[in-house]
Amino acid sequence: MKVVVIGGGAWGLPTAAELASRGHSVHLVDRYGIGNALASSSGPSRIWRIGDPDPRRVRLGRRGIAALERLQGFADAPLFRRQGMLWRHPESAAQLVRSARAEALDFELVAAERVPGIFPGLRDDGRDAVLLPDAGTLVADRVLETQLARFRAAGGRLSTGRYALSVERRPTSPRIRFADGTHDDADAIVIAAGPGAKQLLESLDLPAPLHTHLEQVVHFPTAPEVDGDALPVLFDGPRGEEPGIYAMPSLGVGYKIGLDGPLRAHSHDDTDRTPSAERTELLRARVARDFGALVPEPLDAQVCSWTDTPDGDFVLDAVGDGIVIGCGDVGEGFKYSALMGLVLADFVDGLPQDDDVLAYGIRRFGPAAAQHDFSEATRIGQHADRAASSGASHSHDLRGRRDHGADADPR
């Protein structure tokens, strides 16, 4: 089968590699090139975790790390590290714990005064936390390099510098039209174009309630006596008007910290990735106040994009006529990268999907979704709010359950 994959990022590249490994003739098209600075998938590190307030995400997380372990067999160096994750946000931690228990996932409840012992130097701000052992850092650039090597070894063809404008349904085969006036026909087309997906979905008259944000991260050095690569990853949730942050080691680079909120909106032709001095200073001040193991002197700053959906969930579907879509990473797509290659390839091959994947179909969006207000972006832990609105209570008292040895055993 001839397959064209649009987008060589965290979902498109693994899909192309998997399809080529299955014997298909695969043409991967990316406008700017693999791992380029304008892509959602650029940069040295990402967080991986299995725990999530949404039980579906827990199940996908388990499958994701299994797929990553399979990919490790193709790599010469480690693709991920397991440092654990500290989740300090009581408002979503209650549902996180319920979800972990329901899915038999290991966790530990951490009283506020014990937080600096789990994360050296992290300020005790009076909030209890949850430790997720099955979490850590992805070596993101190495993951992409490994998938690209797989793709090339299987005979895949990569084209860069071509901008896909539209996808057309045709009686014989779908067609992609490019900005240079050329087109490609194929037996199947996979749309995994990140910020460019909205325009392609609209060309197919599909609901396209996608909105792309830009976000900024900053690396900081660790104190000389601290092994920065061994520090846990962190979600330090919002407190009142102060936004939350997420953070992780970038192996050999520094400790990366980002604000859990967009820098600004993004459009498909926006190539400005200039970091905001104001955002850098905001993060520097947080490091100086809260992170005793870090030196509050920024090493660098990076701006990247991510694509949001109205419900904060992915879009994964086969929409007929040989067209498959994988978009709406909602800022959390890379941790499922290896899995998405398998899922989207299975859609192309017409293989059955389970209910966890089928729940992300594009048909869940009605006409009203096109009018969604994206000024309030999806944030980490959002699915705990959704669980509450569907009847779950947030009355779970973390302070009343400090016997972390007992609670570490999943139930």
Side-chain angles (χ1 to χ4, degrees):
M1 187 187 305
K2 179 184 177 182
V3 185
V4 177
V5 179
I6 310 172
W11 289 5
L13 177 56
T15 302
E18 181 63 24
L19 287 167
S21 298
R22 295 182 186 186
H24 298 298
S25 174
V26 183
H27 182 192
L28 175 61
V29 180
D30 193 276
R31 186 179 184 183
Y32 297 110
I34 307 300
N36 70 86
L38 298 177
S40 304
S41 53
S42 64
S45 61
R46 293 292 190 279
I47 292 173
W48 72 268
R49 58 180 163 88
I50 297 177
D52 194 274
D54 183 354
R56 186 194 307 142
R57 291 279 187 92
V58 176
R59 295 189 291 271
L60 288 178
R62 279 202 170 103
R63 293 165 61 183
I65 197 64
L68 190 63
E69 289 168 343
R70 171 178 174 261
L71 182 65
Q72 183 65 67
F74 297 93
D76 296 327
L79 300 179
F80 65 100
R81 288 189 64 174
R82 191 183 302 262
Q83 301 104 321
M85 180 178 191
L86 195 66
W87 185 292
R88 184 163 69 172
H89 185 228
E91 292 81 357
S92 60
Q95 178 57 26
L96 177 74
V97 167
R98 279 192 291 270
S99 175
R101 286 198 170 112
E103 298 299 326
L105 180 67
D106 193 16
F107 67 94
E108 179 181 337
L109 300 180
V110 180
E113 62 268 21
R114 291 187 57 242
V115 164
I118 301 295
F119 192 120
L122 185 63
R123 181 174 68 96
D124 173 6
D125 66 0
R127 295 184 297 173
D128 296 342
V130 179
L131 178 64
L132 301 170
D134 292 315
T137 304
L138 285 172
V139 188
D141 46 6
R142 197 177 292 163
V143 168
L144 294 182
E145 290 165 5
T146 303
Q147 294 286 17
L148 183 58
R150 282 186 69 214
F151 176 67
R152 286 174 167 157
R157 180 166 66 98
L158 172 64
S159 294
T160 60
R162 302 181 75 192
Y163 175 35
L165 286 178
S166 64
V167 176
E168 300 174 5
R169 301 178 188 269
R170 299 169 68 244
T172 53
S173 60
R175 170 173 291 177
I176 308 169
R177 292 196 179 275
F178 295 94
D180 60 7
T182 63
H183 67 266
D184 278 357
D185 298 336
D187 299 304
I189 293 173
V190 179
I191 300 173
K198 179 179 177 66
Q199 176 177 312
L200 299 177
L201 296 185
E202 289 172 343
S203 72
L204 290 164
D205 292 325
L206 290 171
L210 304 175
H211 181 84
T212 303
H213 305 278
L214 293 179
E215 194 157 330
Q216 180 172 320
V217 295
V218 179
H219 280 104
F220 294 90
T222 53
E225 68 277 10
V226 175
D227 179 2
D229 290 348
L231 290 174
V233 301
L234 172 70
F235 170 51
D236 209 17
R239 296 189 69 189
E241 296 300 313
E242 185 174 64
I245 58 173
Y246 59 92
M248 73 210 77
S250 289
L251 305 186
V253 179
Y255 200 78
K256 184 168 85 172
I257 299 184
L259 198 70
D260 187 25
L263 181 64
R264 58 182 171 85
H266 171 267
S267 59
H268 73 278
D269 58 351
D270 180 357
T271 59
D272 181 8
R273 297 295 184 272
T274 305
S276 161
E278 181 180 357
R279 179 64 60 93
T280 299
E281 172 55 26
L282 188 155
L283 291 171
R284 189 209 63 77
R286 289 284 288 269
V287 167
R289 187 191 72 185
D290 293 344
F291 291 83
L294 305 184
V295 179
E297 299 174 1
L299 295 169
D300 62 30
Q302 177 191 4
V303 174
C304 60
S305 64
W306 60 278
T307 306
D308 208 354
T309 64
D311 59 6
D313 274 328
F314 311 139
V315 180
L316 308 170
D317 213 341
V319 296
D321 299 313
I323 300 168
V324 170
I325 54 177
C327 55
D329 61 272
V330 299
E332 298 190 9
F334 211 115
K335 66 176 63 66
Y336 304 101
S337 173
L339 173 63
M340 290 305 167
L342 304 176
V343 167
L344 296 176
D346 284 351
F347 271 125
V348 171
D349 283 338
L351 299 177
Q353 303 281 5
D354 63 21
D355 288 344
D356 286 340
V357 172
L358 294 176
Y360 296 123
I362 195 168
R363 296 168 184 82
R364 73 182 189 270
F365 296 118
Q371 307 304 316
H372 182 76
D373 179 9
F374 283 101
S375 60
E376 185 70 27
T378 294
R379 63 194 187 282
I380 299 172
Q382 173 173 296
H383 297 114
D385 297 343
R386 185 169 63 190
S389 67
S390 64
S393 169
H394 279 193
S395 62
H396 183 85
D397 183 5
L398 296 183
R399 284 191 170 274
R401 308 184 67 88
R402 292 187 179 177
D403 183 3
H404 55 272
D407 280 328
D409 293 327
R411 293 190 280 278

